[in-house]
Amino acid sequence: MVTAAQPLAYPLSVRHLGPNWYATVMGTSVVATAGAALPSHLPGLRPVLAGVWVLAFVLLLALFGARAVHWSRHRNQARAHLLDPATAPFYGCLAMALLAVGGGALTVGRDVIGLRAAVALDTVMFVAGTVLGLAAAVAVPYLMAVRHRVEPGQATPVWLLPLVAPMVSAAVGPLLVPHLPAGQPRETLLLVCFALFGLSLLATLVMLPLVFARLLTGGPLPLALTPTLFLVLGPLGQSTTAVGAFADTAPGVVPAPYSQGFGVLAVLYGVPVMGFALLWFCLATVHVLRARREGMRFAMTWWSFTFPVGTCVTGAEALGRHTGLVAYEGPAVVLYAVLVVAWGTAAAGTVRGLLRGELLAGPAPAPVAPRPVTVRTR
């Protein structure tokens, strides 16, 4: 029997370290970036947020090292992850982790490393994250079509992950626009981000009906996968954040009619999308409460409670800026409180699982059936 007094009961190895672990970086980074844009700032909050961003950056470096060892020593397992329809979509998390930490460098990380270093770091991570995100958005659906054997009944919100990565690029890219030379460089980057927004949005609109139909016709998701219902909030909140960032950046970057159009888009798009996000938040919550009553235990899927909720915080903050309505400031604060509690719960469960060795343990071997006993009869 394994007890709390027997830590590391399972062998620690990176053999089973999958790309889903980058969700820890995403969830940690969004705590810093979402907190930085809250309508009311508490005294001493900014240094705490900068510290959280440093933690996310350290986690990213640690995972880079561990995943490098994974690919060098367990290449067969890495290939198996790519060919597993349940694991391959998580390769989108690598791109989003890079983009989240890079965007956080300009938001709060500059307090630690300085503005010049923050711009350089964000530039590198934005380019790398965007390239990897586009590669995942093409490669993963391609593998699902030609190598994986999936059926409509297997659809889960995890399928959205590689498609959301370009939307994260669209949301954080405008932060770099003011640091480019005036004229075409700035306008080009802003319109590239707008193109990434459209790419991800249309792909999500194609995939989301499969997920919704599976939920309605196939019954509730398995207990361990139930938290992934919150992943649907990712493209909703992130797209609202993106159009808000376009409206913030567009004046003086694109011609006057289009800059005003971005401001209109931020409201006319963001308001109904955040309304649907609220509906989905309630739907996902009641599913999670049901699963919890039926014995849902901690798994790495609990990190689904963090980054998607964080994007709704930044989306509500963007709507508050562009509508001037206090009605969006209250939900942003409440959602941020939910985000912090979710992050603390997921982080505590992850640390506990690592200390016990359970999260990095391989699948348990199937029990060996006893040999049949033959009895001689007379």
Side-chain angles (χ1 to χ4, degrees):
M1 178 180 298
V2 179
T3 65
Q6 296 174 319
L8 304 181
Y10 298 90
L12 282 176
S13 170
V14 297
R15 176 176 178 80
H16 301 285
L17 182 72
N20 59 317
W21 278 79
Y22 285 110
T24 62
V25 179
M26 298 161 54
T28 303
S29 184
V30 80
V31 171
T33 53
L38 286 175
S40 58
H41 297 282
L42 298 176
L45 177 61
R46 185 82 182 185
V48 174
L49 298 178
V52 173
W53 176 82
V54 171
L55 175 61
F57 186 46
V58 171
L59 284 174
L60 180 62
L61 295 178
L63 280 174
F64 270 158
R67 289 285 295 169
V69 173
H70 177 267
W71 272 94
S72 62
R73 296 185 179 179
H74 307 290
R75 198 175 300 271
N76 59 335
Q77 186 67 28
R79 291 197 186 98
H81 285 163
L82 280 172
L83 298 179
D84 182 358
T87 305
F90 284 101
Y91 273 91
C93 291
L94 168 57
M96 290 187 281
L98 288 168
L99 294 164
V101 173
L106 276 180
T107 306
V108 293
R110 62 184 182 182
D111 296 350
V112 180
I113 62 176
L115 180 59
R116 186 173 181 178
V119 171
L121 180 62
D122 189 21
T123 301
V124 172
M125 291 197 168
F126 173 76
V127 172
T130 300
V131 171
L132 289 173
L134 290 172
V138 174
V140 174
Y142 174 79
L143 287 174
M144 293 176 69
V146 302
R147 296 297 298 273
H148 302 163
R149 294 294 179 263
V150 294
E151 299 178 358
Q154 296 174 295
T156 71
V158 173
W159 288 9
L160 294 170
L161 286 174
L163 306 178
V164 179
M167 187 67 78
V168 181
S169 294
V172 303
L175 294 173
L176 287 170
V177 170
H179 302 282
L180 291 176
Q184 289 211 6
R186 292 185 181 183
E187 185 175 358
T188 299
L189 178 57
L190 182 60
L191 293 183
V192 165
C193 292
F194 192 35
L196 292 169
F197 163 84
L199 179 158
S200 180
L201 177 63
L202 294 176
T204 299
L205 291 177
V206 170
M207 188 69 74
L208 188 55
L210 296 177
V211 176
F212 200 18
R214 155 65 182 86
L215 190 64
L216 295 181
T217 61
L221 294 177
L223 296 183
L225 288 177
T226 302
T228 64
L229 288 172
F230 277 80
L231 293 178
V232 175
L233 297 177
L236 304 177
Q238 198 68 278
S239 60
T240 305
T241 303
V243 293
F246 300 156
D248 293 337
T249 310
V253 175
V254 296
Y258 303 112
S259 63
Q260 296 171 358
F262 278 120
V264 173
L265 178 66
V267 177
L268 295 186
Y269 173 87
V271 171
V273 169
M274 286 302 292
F276 180 68
L278 177 61
L279 169 67
W280 194 273
F281 182 90
C282 296
L283 178 64
T285 299
V286 294
H287 271 271
V288 168
L289 292 176
R290 171 193 169 276
R292 190 64 174 162
R293 287 195 304 269
E294 296 197 1
M296 181 183 73
R297 300 179 59 189
F298 175 78
M300 288 299 291
T301 52
W302 282 36
W303 283 97
S304 303
F305 298 138
T306 57
F307 189 77
V309 174
T311 66
C312 291
V313 175
T314 55
E317 292 165 346
L319 284 175
R321 289 195 309 272
H322 292 284
T323 62
L325 296 177
V326 181
Y328 285 107
E329 296 181 358
V333 174
V334 172
L335 285 173
Y336 187 73
V338 173
L339 169 63
V340 171
V341 172
W343 178 84
T345 303
T350 303
V351 171
R352 184 168 56 249
L354 283 174
L355 292 177
R356 294 177 177 176
E358 298 169 351
L359 293 181
L360 292 179
V368 179
R371 297 178 62 182
V373 178
T374 57
V375 179
R376 178 177 297 177
T377 58
R378 301 182 63 179

